């Protein structure tokens, strides 16, 4: 239940960043001065603006805008699911994890904004250049998001009657969709969503791949703990299910 706060912060903060980037991308505006200071500290302002790199810089603007939009939409959907789909137990969260979660959703959007080159923002509107990896990334994002939503609905329905009324807060064994292959498909879908954003950025953002690695280890740990819980508490739990990645782990 406390994760709801993370998505509220993400929707507000990343929505704010999305507006700034939209102005820079399509209206010829500029990013906030604090972003420019971060770019200067990271040495991004010293990047070359020769003709060979010119188009790639324009592409970096649009790629970052597109991924920030996907991140914001992801946060909106997860917030809606927390408010109207999921049925939470009375579990609590450690204060350190809570503070880290809030900081994470602020940092991840800011990280995206810092991937945008600063030396092409001369008051000109930027052109939109859709590349093949934008299409592949968005398609993968939609596919993973749909499956994540379906799996969260399945989990919620385990605690509801056919009429939709909450009748229990206990744990049950889920079936259907990706649950037939893994114990925590919603965690696996989360990883795929972040991978899809890395693809949308054109594969070459080392910083974002670091974010993907963080999501991988974070979600894998949570999946293993849930998998062990299922195996310990349900003697008839399907033995063919993996914890996190189908057929692999």
């Amino acid at each position: 239940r406390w994760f709801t706060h993370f998505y509220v912060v993400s929707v507000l903060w990343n929505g704010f960043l999305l507006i700034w980037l939209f102005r820079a991308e399509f209206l010829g505006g500029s990013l906030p001065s604090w972003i420019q200071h971060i770019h200067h500290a990271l040495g991004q302002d010293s990047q070359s603006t020769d003709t060979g790199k010119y188009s790639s810089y324009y592409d970096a603007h649009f790629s970052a805008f597109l991924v920030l939009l996907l991140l914001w939409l992801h946060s909106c959907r997860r917030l809606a699911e927390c408010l109207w789909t999921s049925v939470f137990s009375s579990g609590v969260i450690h204060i350190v994890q809570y503070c880290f979660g809030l900081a994470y959703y602020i940092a991840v959007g800011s990280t995206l904004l810092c991937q945008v080159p600063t030396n092409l923002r001369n008051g000109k509107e930027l052109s939109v250049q859709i590349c093949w990896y934008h299409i592949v990334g968005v398609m993968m994002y939609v596919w993973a998001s749909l499956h994540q939503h379906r799996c969260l609905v399945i989990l919620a329905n385990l605690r509801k009657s056919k009429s939709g009324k909450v009748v229990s807060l206990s744990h049950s064994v889920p079936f259907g969709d990706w649950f037939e292959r893994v114990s925590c498909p919603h965690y696996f879908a989360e990883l795929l969503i972040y991978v899809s954003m890395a693809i949308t950025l054109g594969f070459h953002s080392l910083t974002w791949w670091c974010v993907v690695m963080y999501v991988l280890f974070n979600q894998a740990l949570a999946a293993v703990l849930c998998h062990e819980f299922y195996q310990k508490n349900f003697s008839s739990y399907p033995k063919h299910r993996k914890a996190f990645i189908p057929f692999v782990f």
Side-chain angles (χ1 to χ4, degrees):
R1 182 179 290 107
W2 289 87
F3 274 56
T4 304
H5 297 179
F6 299 163
Y7 300 121
V8 169
V9 169
S10 181
V11 168
L12 294 177
W13 174 249
N14 292 315
F16 168 74
L17 297 182
L18 188 63
I19 292 173
W20 275 107
L21 192 54
F22 178 84
R23 292 178 66 245
E25 173 76 27
F26 299 106
L27 303 180
S30 60
L31 295 176
S33 58
W34 60 271
I35 287 291
Q36 299 184 38
H37 292 323
I38 293 176
H39 274 83
H40 181 72
L42 296 176
Q44 294 232 144
D45 284 332
S46 62
Q47 292 175 332
S48 172
T49 57
D50 57 69
T51 304
K53 294 184 177 181
Y54 193 78
S55 61
S56 66
Y57 284 171
Y58 274 91
D59 177 65
H61 274 267
F62 179 66
S63 297
F65 172 78
L66 187 56
V67 172
L68 188 56
L69 175 62
L70 295 179
L71 179 65
W72 182 75
L73 291 174
H74 176 63
S75 300
C76 289
R77 177 180 61 83
R78 291 294 293 118
L79 176 59
E81 289 166 344
C82 285
L83 294 175
W84 297 299
T85 300
S86 299
V87 180
F88 299 106
S89 63
S90 56
V92 296
I93 187 173
H94 195 282
I95 184 64
V96 174
Q97 185 183 7
Y98 178 76
C99 293
F100 182 84
L102 293 176
Y104 169 79
Y105 281 100
I106 292 176
V108 72
S110 305
T111 298
L112 266 174
L113 217 58
C114 289
Q115 302 302 299
V116 179
T118 60
N119 47 11
L120 289 183
R121 294 194 315 273
N122 298 317
K124 298 179 180 179
E125 298 178 16
L126 298 179
S127 60
V128 175
Q129 298 180 354
I130 298 178
C131 301
W132 65 268
Y133 48 80
H134 294 149
I135 298 174
V136 172
V138 170
M139 290 178 62
M140 183 177 178
Y141 170 88
V142 172
W143 174 65
S145 297
L146 286 174
H147 279 285
Q148 187 179 55
H149 177 72
R150 290 174 185 172
C151 292
L152 291 172
V153 169
I154 290 173
L155 286 176
N157 287 340
L158 291 175
R159 295 177 171 179
K160 297 179 182 179
S161 64
K162 292 183 178 180
S163 63
K165 182 179 180 180
V166 177
V167 294
S168 173
L169 295 180
S170 61
H171 294 279
S172 304
V173 178
F175 292 93
D177 206 78
W178 287 355
F179 278 110
E180 299 302 322
R181 295 297 178 186
V182 291
S183 296
C184 301
H186 48 306
Y187 295 155
F188 177 56
E190 185 81 4
L191 173 63
L192 293 181
I193 287 170
Y194 278 84
V195 171
S196 72
M197 295 179 186
I199 294 173
T200 306
L201 285 170
F203 295 93
H204 53 69
S205 175
L206 178 60
T207 304
W208 194 258
W209 280 113
C210 290
V211 175
V212 172
M213 292 303 296
Y214 163 76
V215 173
L216 168 62
F217 289 115
N218 179 271
Q219 299 297 292
L221 175 60
V224 167
L225 294 176
C226 289
H227 185 66
E228 292 176 348
F229 173 85
Y230 282 129
Q231 291 178 323
K232 179 180 179 181
N233 291 276
F234 300 96
S235 58
S236 60
Y237 191 72
K239 297 184 181 300
H240 68 276
R241 290 189 188 180
K242 298 296 184 180
F244 184 45
I245 302 176
F247 308 106
V248 177
F249 174 68

